[in-house]
Amino acid sequence: MGKKRREEKLKRKGQQRTPLSGRDMLRIFPSLLLRAFIVVMPLTLLMTFLGASGVTLFNNFWVQMGTYLAAYIVFNKFIFGPVRNYRPANPPKAK
């Protein structure tokens, strides 16, 4: 029983993700910034164009914030994909 429980514990520990270090986050940050820019910039241009075209709804600050929030929720997996899929080059060894 002891050996089996130990093996199960090591198996569970091996499946857990290790937290990202500051150095790892610095490697990922430019990609996050670029992906957020890719999502926000077209949305900003579209809202600016619609606001200038006479759709007064998009001149309201709260509508704009709601639109940005909705885009963030919809594109969350795209923006944070590098964080979810990041695998460190030298994974720590299990004790």
Side-chain angles (χ1 to χ4, degrees):
M1 183 79 168
K3 185 177 181 180
K4 186 177 180 181
R5 285 186 70 188
R6 194 174 331 120
E7 287 175 358
E8 289 175 4
K9 183 178 178 183
L10 287 174
K11 185 178 176 183
R12 277 193 313 257
K13 206 172 208 181
Q15 293 172 348
Q16 290 178 346
R17 284 189 48 152
T18 57
L20 294 177
S21 67
R23 181 172 286 182
D24 293 337
M25 283 304 294
L26 282 175
R27 284 190 191 133
I28 296 172
F29 182 73
S31 176
L32 291 178
L33 196 63
L34 178 66
R35 287 170 178 248
F37 183 77
I38 288 171
V39 170
V40 170
M41 195 61 190
L43 186 63
T44 303
L45 292 174
L46 180 65
M47 285 194 299
T48 303
F49 176 74
L50 289 174
S53 297
V55 182
T56 58
L57 180 70
F58 287 106
N59 292 334
N60 185 345
F61 172 78
W62 294 109
V63 172
Q64 291 176 359
M65 285 299 111
T67 306
Y68 285 126
L69 179 64
Y72 172 77
I73 291 169
V74 169
F75 291 104
N76 190 348
K77 284 189 177 182
F78 171 73
I79 293 172
F80 288 104
V83 175
R84 286 189 185 99
N85 300 329
Y86 184 76
R87 299 285 179 244
N90 301 336
K93 297 181 181 180
K95 294 179 181 178

